[in-house]
Amino acid sequence: MIRVGIIGVGGIAKGRHIPAFLQLSDLCQVTALSDVNRVQAKEAAAQFNIPHVFENYQDMFTEVDAVCICTPNKFHAEISIAALEAGVHVLCEKPMALSAAECEAMLAASKKSGKVLAIAYHYRFMRELQAAKKLMQEGEIGTPLVARVQALRYRKVPGWGVFTNKALQGGGSLIDYGCHLLDSAIWLMGNPKHVTVNGRTYNVLSKTPGQVNQWGSFNHETFDVDDHVTAYITFENGASLLLETSWAANIKQDTEHISISGTAGGLNVFPFEWYGAKHGMLFNSEAAWIPGEEDPSIPQAANFLAACMGKAELVVKPEEALQVSQIIDAIYESAGEL
């Protein structure tokens, strides 16, 4: 039975991670919470019937075997490294850290301690992504050539938390939202090494007064992160990826899209479909049923716990999350933001 502590009790902790771990009561116990806001931590502890509350996260380490880090991005590396050095397994929310350099320090701490370091790219645990990975591994599209990724929202800048604070988050739509689908696409392609990255970032719309926004209000005068990003990425195996992500696009509707064209076929993830030529004909095929959990948070937590017990490999390896952060850094650098 693994004792789990949660560091940071904001929306992602209360809405995703705590409920997921509580549903796995045969594998773990959520025994402690920590947050700099002790009042919020106590309220969350009462809500979920969690016995211990700590204001200083380091005081938690003697009471737990693993922690889930749900803080602003700025603190991911600091807390992860401290936990690993204390002999505690870590599941850290995405992105891995503010920069690739911080990610490398986290990875080094994990290797030195021998403890598990997992990154919460939960899209990989979605049923559609798991099905797409199976087709990729079984050669149904052959060699991947071109991937297309869109993570677009119609006027939905997060008006809560610290999402629009560059000092705490490191960026906007790319580092918060686009990173999920970027990670998923590269994983489906077999994690090829990137070679070139060309990117552009925009925040003109969100810096304009009087914006209509579906997800609360924000200060356009202090808005200093990206709300729209495009990128073109090439890989050492010759494949390429086209990325577009936005919190505030003027589009008809929200769009989540991952598609990959290969030498033997192609696939689309949302909805899950396969395209290709067989028997002298062209096929557009869809799955009538896909197995798996509807909530990807549960298999994500289960995989982390199994890895902590030495019973499974991580689905999201920290080296792969590091590459996503390297690409994010390169997009921002290409756009002149670093």
Side-chain angles (χ1 to χ4, degrees), residues 277-292:
K278 286 186 177 181
H279 315 296
M281 296 174 280
L282 295 178
F283 285 82
N284 295 339
S285 304
E286 61 182 34
W289 176 77
I290 304 173

Side-chain angles (χ1 to χ4, degrees), residues 19-298:
F21 283 117
L22 289 177
Q23 289 197 49
L24 299 169
S25 57
D26 56 328
L27 300 175
C28 72
Q29 293 177 323
V30 181
T31 58
L33 299 179
S34 174
D35 197 284
V36 292
N37 187 325
R38 190 172 180 85
V39 173
Q40 288 188 7
K42 284 188 173 182
E43 289 175 351
Q47 177 183 350
F48 293 102
N49 195 27
I50 297 170
H52 303 295
V53 173
F54 298 91
E55 189 170 337
N56 185 334
Y57 66 82
Q58 296 195 29
D59 295 337
M60 175 192 288
F61 295 153
T62 58
E63 304 297 325
V64 298
D65 307 301
V67 293
C68 180
I69 299 171
C70 304
T71 65
N73 301 342
K74 179 179 179 178
F75 308 107
H76 285 185
E78 169 195 323
I79 299 173
S80 293
I81 292 169
L84 292 164
E85 289 178 345
V88 175
H89 302 292
V90 171
L91 172 61
C92 181
E93 250 303 328
K94 60 76 201 166
M96 191 170 177
L98 279 185
S99 68
E102 289 186 349
C103 297
E104 289 169 354
M106 292 166 65
L107 187 57
S110 175
K111 290 180 177 178
K112 184 177 180 180
S113 69
K115 296 300 178 180
V116 170
L117 172 61
I119 310 303
Y121 279 115
H122 73 272
Y123 272 57
R124 291 198 194 186
F125 294 89
M126 290 180 175
R127 290 178 294 187
E128 296 89 347
L129 264 296
Q130 289 288 315
K133 185 65 172 178
K134 185 175 179 63
L135 258 65
M136 296 292 293
Q137 290 174 330
E138 295 184 357
E140 289 290 338
I141 80 159
T143 302
L145 299 175
V146 178
R148 292 160 293 272
V149 177
Q150 288 184 308
L152 303 173
R153 290 176 180 154
Y154 183 17
R155 300 293 190 96
K156 289 179 178 174
V157 176
W160 61 86
V162 296
F163 286 100
T164 61
N165 186 323
K166 187 173 184 178
L168 291 177
Q169 292 296 90
S173 59
L174 173 61
I175 205 167
D176 165 59
Y177 179 36
C179 66
H180 269 304
L181 282 84
L182 174 62
D183 169 77
S184 297
I186 295 173
W187 176 61
L188 290 178
M189 297 168 75
N191 298 294
K193 179 64 179 175
H194 62 283
V195 177
T196 65
V197 178
N198 189 292
R200 293 292 180 271
T201 63
Y202 307 88
N203 66 3
V204 175
L205 189 64
S206 295
K207 292 184 73 65
T208 305
Q211 285 305 303
V212 176
N213 188 59
Q214 297 191 65
W215 280 3
S217 61
F218 60 92
N219 188 340
H220 73 276
E221 294 181 349
T222 60
F223 191 94
D224 64 350
V225 296
D226 52 279
D227 65 10
H228 204 141
V229 176
T230 59
Y232 179 71
I233 304 157
T234 65
F235 300 91
E236 62 184 7
N237 64 358
S240 59
L241 185 152
L242 297 89
L243 169 70
E244 183 182 13
T245 183
S246 180
W247 281 339
N250 281 318
I251 53 177
K252 183 177 181 179
Q253 60 190 14
D254 295 355
T255 301
E256 286 192 336
H257 176 84
I258 301 173
S259 62
I260 303 174
S261 296
T263 55
L267 63 81
N268 186 81
V269 178
F270 307 115
F272 179 60
E273 298 172 337
W274 177 88
Y275 318 114
K278 286 186 177 181
H279 315 296
M281 296 174 280
L282 295 178
F283 285 82
N284 295 339
S285 304
E286 61 182 34
W289 176 77
I290 304 173
E293 292 276 357
E294 184 174 349
D295 180 1
S297 306
I298 297 171

Side-chain angles (χ1 to χ4, degrees), residues 300-314:
Q300 174 178 255
N303 177 248
F304 171 63
L305 294 171
C308 292
M309 293 183 284
K311 296 181 178 180
E313 287 190 10
L314 289 173

